[in-house]
Amino acid sequence: MQRLYDFIRRHPTGVDIFWAVVLLGLSGVSVVGDQGRGTPRLAAVPVAIGLCLVVALRRRAPEKMLLLAVAAGVAQLMLDVRPNVANFAMLVITFTVATVGERWASRLALVCSLCAAGLSQLRWPNDTRGGWVQEVFVVVVMTVPFVLAWVLGDSMRTRRAYFSQLEERAARLEREREAQSKVAVAAERARIARELHDVVAHNVSVMVVQADGAAYVMDAAPDQARQALETISSTGRQALAEMRRLLGVLRTGDSQESGEYVPQPDVGQIEDLIEQVRRTGLAVDFKIEGTPRPLPSGVELTAYRIVQEALTNTRKHGGPDAGASVRLVYFDDGLGLLVEDDGRGAAHELYEDGGADGAGHGMIGMRERVGMVGGTLDAGPRPGGGFRISALLPLKPAH
């Protein structure tokens, strides 16, 4: 049975042709058995063929077949061909155009369905003596099947349209989810790129400064050289740990892999960062104003990275004997940052382009981080020389 059902679904036109042939055979028997002679019998043959053709091609051209059925009905009325088995095709085409036809064809089928029985009764009145009540009853009984066929077809049309809308909505939601996923992936990649930049720029800068200092005092002060090498070693391990954590985000299916995954830096680690910078030879003054309290993780990470990037830029562009100051101010509704240095600095355009070599993304990364938490950033040369970076990070992001 399943194979037969699948065959019928794959060959709908073939099934219609089969039923058209059956209908044509029954119509032929009806025409031959008719007692009439002459023109009605001769005219009944092309009318029956036309109605059987309506059944055969109803799926391929429903609107044209409806017009053919209407023409056959008009021919029956004009040529005095009484209704026979072939007129079942009108019921079939009414259902078909109500289901899949154009709206004008569906309305035309409904109008013809309401008028067909009445016109037939007027053209070939019954010989019974029941009066007009019986005639009206016959008309109603003959009209009901056509109306039911139209209502059933229109209901199927509505149901198909409803399911089509559901499928379209599901497809649209799927596309939106894919677009959101792509945006989230792009944002995560940008975040990881900023993190890697901060890790590499800061820690490698510290290692280079310590290595230069160690090479300079290797012979004159071995103890200082040894301390510098220890600083290089610890800084390198810290950089590797952070890079391992960041690159672990890019892996898939490696959640069970063991490794050193450290928490995200926060405001509490800024003091350790400044101590590390001081050991490289950069004098940094650090102050905290207000009452320290827990902040959102995004705000704390942003504050840490701003201080880290600002001090890295000071080491790059401040020149010898440069000094810096870092101030944290806790407000009721946010955190303020002020990082200044008194070095010779670099042109503001170089900072915007990412450094003296123009290859980094320091200031761009700062602005993106601050923008993500809804804060504001102001950076540029300060009066009297040096560079200043100030930021205000709200506790709640702006909507």
Side-chain angles (χ1 to χ4, degrees):
M1 289 298 296
Q2 184 63 33
R3 291 183 179 179
L4 178 61
Y5 179 71
D6 293 338
F7 177 82
I8 292 175
R9 294 196 63 181
R10 290 195 302 269
H11 304 87
T13 303
V15 175
D16 291 340
I17 293 175
F18 170 78
W19 287 115
V21 172
V22 173
L23 185 63
L24 181 61
L26 296 176
S27 301
V29 173
S30 176
V31 171
V32 171
D34 192 359
Q35 298 299 322
R37 293 291 186 269
T39 303
R41 175 178 288 184
L42 295 176
V45 175
V47 169
I49 293 175
L51 291 175
C52 292
L53 184 64
V54 168
V55 175
L57 302 179
R58 66 186 183 93
R59 298 179 195 265
R60 291 185 173 272
E63 294 83 6
K64 294 180 180 179
M65 293 303 102
L66 174 65
L67 296 178
L68 178 59
V70 172
V74 173
Q76 282 186 270
L77 294 174
M78 295 177 62
L79 300 176
D80 194 22
V81 178
R82 297 180 70 89
N84 53 61
V85 180
N87 288 102
F88 182 77
M90 296 182 176
L91 189 67
V92 175
I93 194 62
T94 298
F95 169 79
T96 302
V97 295
T99 304
V100 298
E102 298 290 341
R103 277 298 179 184
W104 66 265
S106 177
R107 296 188 182 97
L108 177 60
L110 178 60
V111 172
C112 293
S113 299
L114 295 175
C115 298
L119 293 175
S120 175
Q121 186 65 23
L122 292 175
R123 185 68 175 84
W124 301 287
N126 294 328
D127 296 334
T128 59
R129 299 179 179 180
W132 66 270
V133 176
Q134 184 175 358
E135 293 181 357
V136 171
F137 177 77
V138 172
V139 170
V140 171
V141 171
M142 296 300 296
T143 303
V144 167
F146 287 92
V147 175
L148 290 179
W150 186 89
V151 171
L152 179 60
D154 191 70
S155 299
M156 291 188 65
R157 175 200 293 270
T158 304
R159 185 178 180 184
R160 289 179 180 177
Y162 174 71
F163 282 118
S164 177
Q165 290 179 356
L166 290 181
E167 292 176 355
E168 181 182 359
R169 181 180 180 185
R172 185 175 66 253
L173 292 176
E174 183 66 23
R175 291 193 299 267
E176 291 178 356
R177 280 195 295 268
E178 291 179 359
Q180 292 175 357
S181 298
K182 291 180 180 179
V183 171
V185 170
E188 183 65 13
R189 287 178 177 176
R191 185 190 69 82
I192 293 173
R194 290 193 299 268
E195 293 286 331
L196 286 175
H197 170 268
D198 294 338
V199 170
V200 173
H202 172 72
N203 292 291
V204 174
S205 176
V206 171
M207 294 168 67
V208 170
V209 171
Q210 292 292 328
D212 291 342
Y216 183 77
V217 299
M218 180 67 72
D219 298 329
D223 293 338
Q224 294 183 11
R226 186 180 300 107
Q227 183 179 2
L229 293 176
E230 291 176 354
T231 302
I232 293 174
S233 176
S234 62
T235 304
R237 288 192 179 93
Q238 179 182 357
L240 287 175
E242 292 197 27
M243 291 181 67
R244 186 184 183 92
R245 173 181 60 81
L246 293 173
L247 294 177
V249 177
L250 300 177
R251 299 191 182 100
T252 57
D254 295 342
S255 58
Q256 301 298 326
E257 180 182 357
S258 60
E260 298 181 25
Y261 295 97
V262 298
Q264 293 275 23
D266 54 22
V267 174
Q269 299 182 29
I270 291 180
E271 190 170 359
D272 297 334
L273 172 66
I274 292 175
E275 288 297 331
Q276 184 184 34
V277 173
R278 286 171 177 167
R279 288 196 295 269
T280 65
L282 178 64
V284 182
D285 180 34
F286 180 53
K287 292 182 180 179
I288 299 178
E289 298 181 6
T291 303
R293 61 184 182 276
L295 301 173
S297 58
V299 173
E300 297 210 3
L301 176 61
T302 300
Y304 181 91
R305 293 306 186 193
I306 290 176
V307 174
Q308 185 183 53
E309 180 65 26
L311 295 179
T312 300
N313 288 339
T314 298
R315 285 198 306 272
K316 285 183 179 180
H317 311 298
D321 301 327
S325 65
V326 178
R327 179 179 299 177
L328 299 182
V329 182
Y330 286 88
F331 298 105
D332 294 337
D333 57 350
L335 177 68
L337 283 174
L338 179 62
V339 183
E340 296 179 308
D341 67 72
D342 56 4
R344 65 169 181 262
H348 185 258
E349 291 76 10
L350 292 181
Y351 277 92
E352 290 291 347
D353 291 338
D357 57 357
H361 300 281
M363 290 299 300
I364 296 176
M366 281 191 197
R367 296 191 184 280
E368 290 181 353
R369 288 183 182 279
V370 173
M372 289 177 63
V373 298
T376 58
L377 178 71
D378 183 22
R382 69 169 192 164
F387 205 82
R388 170 187 294 168
I389 296 176
S390 63
L392 179 61
L393 308 178
L395 295 181
K396 294 182 180 180
H399 296 286

